[in-house]
Amino acid sequence: QSSNTVVTLGESLFLKGYRRLRAGLNPELEVGRHLTEAVQYPNCVPVAGAVEYFGADGQQMTLAIVQSYVANQGDGWSYALGYLERFLELQRTSPDENPSDVHGGFTALAATLGQRTAELHAALARRTGDAAFDPEPLASADVDAYRNRALSEAKDTFEMLRTRLPELPAGVQEDGRQLLAREADVIARIESAHASAAAGSAVKTRFHGDYHLGQVLVTRNDFVIIDFEGEPGRSFEERREKGSPLRDVAGMLRSFNYARWAAIKHVALNADEAGRLDASARQWEQETRAAFMEGYAGVSGAAAASSTGDDASLLALFELEKAFYELRYELGNRVDWVQVPLQGILALVEHGTTA
């Protein structure tokens, strides 16, 4: 159930009212104002105003936010899923019709998304004199904290998987048993995530915090980034903490993986057909992932580029942590989707990538 109510005011503004009110500075309003006014990042929805409550005791509460209306072709999730479903349907019915550069147009769009993501991170890393946004050095202690958080969440997830395993469908149980058998490997991989990113010019900044294909709008072969609320399950204080923007990158990479599996689920008529379509869907994910990362890395001179350092280890850690979060969610809410993060984690442990 949505925690917001959205009302469009003509084709110029829309008002987003919050149903679940929280005391404190709302990150969506704070980040939106910063991007609109302080750094003028062009690929977000501009904030036009807000309805706020200020109590006599100093308490602050955001009731609603007013933003400019942006004409669009839907969100990135619907766009990617629609594209991939059409491609897989063609593979299902006419498997011989497969031009060599079949995904060229889509991967160009994925590269643009990577570029816009890096530009967002560069904008959020720009010094403006606002202590809530100015970047800070990423220290070894920060990386240690990231590793410890991932370890704790992995152990919690393994325990949850052991408890729920008998309730899962037979095929999914087999994947679950494979992952449980690799528990020591997973823990070792997390523990080996190193702090080389903190040795140079890496910084921690504000970042999106809940980044996936559903958080970008497709507009004229470009993207507008939306919804800077952060993870709904975390407090405002947690959402406002600075960290590595690579968490956003990891979230988008996992979103590509979910789109791959969702498209197969929607198109395949049975398990055998799903198996036949998987190679084509995997190729799409590999190409999309590579194009996104190339676009992200290609933003020359961006502060975002320095935040990555040369540490692919940190990105891999965040991607693994995100997949464990997804597994806990699916175990608790959608058993028929459990196989998606299970397969993702197995691939990450085996190959360092889900593609």
Side-chain angles (χ1 to χ4, degrees), residues 29-240:
L29 177 58
E30 182 189 27
V31 174
R33 278 177 171 161
H34 184 77
L35 291 174
T36 302
E37 299 167 9
V39 297
Q40 298 177 349
Y41 174 68
N43 287 77
C44 68
V45 180
V47 172
V51 180
E52 297 179 271
Y53 166 82
F54 295 91
D57 58 357
Q59 185 184 67
Q60 177 182 358
M61 199 175 292
T62 304
L63 308 181
I65 185 171
V66 181
Q67 295 173 292
S68 298
Y69 176 84
V70 175
N72 63 85
Q73 298 146 255
D75 64 37
W77 173 260
S78 300
Y79 189 94
L81 198 58
Y83 170 86
L84 187 53
E85 285 178 1
R86 288 190 298 274
F87 168 70
L88 292 181
E89 183 61 34
L90 188 63
Q91 290 292 294
R92 190 177 74 81
T93 56
S94 307
D96 296 330
E97 295 182 23
N98 193 3
S100 57
D101 190 27
V102 63
H103 299 305
F106 189 91
T107 53
L109 201 59
T112 299
L113 178 57
Q115 180 183 341
R116 296 292 177 253
T117 304
E119 289 167 352
L120 168 69
H121 290 161
L124 289 171
R126 197 176 306 158
R127 290 194 176 276
T128 62
D130 184 344
F133 285 92
D134 281 351
E136 300 172 15
L138 182 68
S140 296
D142 293 314
V143 180
D144 291 343
Y146 298 157
R147 187 168 52 238
N148 290 335
R149 171 175 141 174
L151 273 172
S152 174
E153 294 189 2
K155 290 173 181 175
D156 288 347
T157 311
F158 276 117
E159 191 57 42
M160 188 176 184
L161 178 59
R162 263 188 290 271
T163 302
R164 297 294 307 276
L165 191 65
E167 305 166 31
L168 301 179
V172 183
Q173 280 191 32
E174 179 54 35
D175 284 344
R177 280 191 288 271
Q178 282 188 43
L179 181 57
L180 289 170
R182 301 294 299 272
E183 183 171 1
D185 293 341
V186 173
I187 299 302
R189 178 174 286 271
I190 294 173
E191 288 176 337
S192 70
H194 48 80
S196 66
S201 58
V203 294
K204 56 181 180 179
T205 63
R206 298 292 288 271
F207 54 102
H208 187 285
D210 188 25
Y211 201 51
H212 52 77
L213 283 166
Q215 304 288 42
V216 296
L217 299 178
V218 182
T219 171
R220 297 180 181 176
N221 291 321
D222 207 338
F223 293 92
V224 171
I225 301 172
I226 62 172
D227 286 348
F228 289 87
E229 289 183 73
E231 283 188 23
R234 299 190 182 276
S235 68
F236 278 179
E237 291 74 18
E238 289 175 305
R239 300 185 213 179
R240 296 182 66 231

Side-chain angles (χ1 to χ4, degrees), residues 197 201-203 302-309:
S201 58
V203 294
S306 71
S307 71
T308 68

